[in-house]
Amino acid sequence: MDTIVQALIMGVVQGLTEFLPVSSSGHLIVVPFLLGWDDAFITSLAFSVMLHIGTLVALLIYFRDDWLRLIPAGLAAIRDRSLRDDPDRKLAWLLVAATIPAALVGALFSDIFETQVRQIGLVALTLVVGGVILWIADHVGARTKGMADVSFPVALGIGAAQAIALVPGISRSGISISAGRLAGLEREAAARFAFLMATPITGGAILFEARKLVTGEAGVTVDAGPLIAGLLASFVSGIIAIRVMLGYLRTRSLDVFVIYRFVLAAVVLIVWLGR
């Protein structure tokens, strides 16, 4: 199959699964495995991370009104050394706090996450583990709080959960939404906070991997055509996925994603053991 087509498929997969609680990093390992692709660039971690540029742009565009408020508010809090009971100032610094755990874990253990946890069997296992966590978080206890109720300890807790998603198959959005639900947030509020806090950590990961591509540390040659195709596909599908996910969670549970994760894990294990 032409690498442009493969890149387009990978871009669509990235865009959809980045915002659905099913693990984009896991899918970017599983899809080439199931389809038998072996192109070094398409299957590289570098290409997977760079596809996040498309979904990062989707986040920035979809939540542009939020960021146009939050960035000035966060800077004003620094200037005045006070949150002044301003919800935008508070939210801006909650997002900063939520970013810290994943940034620290990613920086300290990047080599491990890049080389030791990208095995297909482990992805099948973490798909199941993440599904169990998602189901428990969505069904246990009352979940009625909004984003205004998020405190700094809760933000740090959600951020710590996000750090776990560096393991493929767990899902950044899935584990972050789960942590928000366990903290008492309603589904849409948990998803919205998860999507907002994904923006800075995704941007940092892109810069980190871009540096490795430029210096040659990534060990792959950048193929401009497939990269552009993948980025465009991830951007378009990402915008669609954000809108669909937030609308879906207003009235529905996360059960369909739990079932999907279990079914995909079973398929992966059957194919893996068969080979």
Side-chain angles (χ1 to χ4, degrees):
M1 184 182 292
D2 185 82
T3 54
I4 295 288
V5 176
Q6 293 181 4
L8 283 170
I9 292 172
M10 292 286 275
V12 170
V13 168
Q14 162 62 24
L16 294 178
T17 59
E18 177 71 10
F19 303 112
L20 305 182
V22 295
S23 178
S24 62
S25 59
H27 275 74
L28 293 178
I29 295 172
V30 165
V31 169
F33 169 77
L34 293 179
L35 298 179
W37 297 346
D38 57 6
D39 182 88
F41 180 64
I42 295 296
T43 58
S44 69
L45 175 63
F47 178 60
S48 296
V49 173
M50 296 312 288
L51 286 179
H52 284 69
I53 294 175
T55 45
L56 176 61
V57 174
L59 278 170
L60 290 171
I61 289 178
Y62 192 90
F63 293 105
R64 60 189 180 278
D65 291 339
D66 297 79
W67 287 113
L68 288 173
R69 295 194 325 272
L70 292 173
I71 293 174
L75 294 174
I78 296 175
R79 181 196 64 210
D80 299 336
R81 299 182 182 180
S82 172
L83 298 180
R84 290 189 174 178
D85 294 325
D86 183 333
D88 286 337
R89 292 189 182 195
K90 178 186 175 185
L91 179 56
W93 283 97
L94 286 171
L95 294 172
V96 171
T99 301
I100 292 172
L104 288 175
V105 172
L108 293 173
F109 303 103
S110 61
D111 290 342
I112 294 175
F113 289 117
E114 291 179 6
T115 60
Q116 303 298 318
V117 297
R118 291 177 59 80
Q119 287 81 28
I120 195 69
L122 180 59
V123 172
L125 174 62
T126 53
L127 282 169
V128 173
V129 171
V132 171
I133 294 172
L134 193 65
W135 187 88
I136 292 173
D138 199 42
H139 287 274
V140 176
R143 305 289 182 264
T144 58
K145 296 179 181 178
M147 285 180 60
D149 299 306
V150 177
S151 64
F152 279 94
V154 167
L156 283 170
I158 297 175
Q162 181 179 229
I164 301 172
L166 292 169
V167 178
I170 292 295
S171 171
R172 180 186 293 114
S173 63
I175 199 70
S176 300
I177 291 171
S178 295
R181 295 287 283 157
L182 289 171
L185 296 181
E186 59 185 8
R187 291 189 184 98
E188 186 182 0
R192 194 173 188 88
F193 189 83
F195 292 166
L196 284 170
M197 80 173 191
T199 304
I201 199 67
T202 300
I206 291 168
L207 290 174
F208 183 77
E209 198 62 38
R211 177 191 61 80
K212 295 176 67 175
L213 279 173
V214 171
T215 60
E217 288 182 51
V220 294
T221 301
V222 177
D223 196 336
L227 180 58
I228 293 171
L231 291 177
L232 290 174
S234 67
F235 164 69
V236 173
S237 56
I239 285 282
I240 294 171
I242 296 171
R243 183 179 298 275
V244 169
M245 187 65 179
L246 289 176
Y248 179 90
L249 291 179
R250 292 189 184 104
T251 57
R252 298 175 179 87
S253 76
L254 295 165
D255 289 354
V256 65
F257 302 109
V258 174
I259 294 170
Y260 171 80
R261 293 175 69 107
F262 291 166
V263 171
L264 179 61
V267 170
V268 170
L269 280 176
I270 289 170
V271 175
W272 180 50
L273 294 174
R275 290 181 183 177

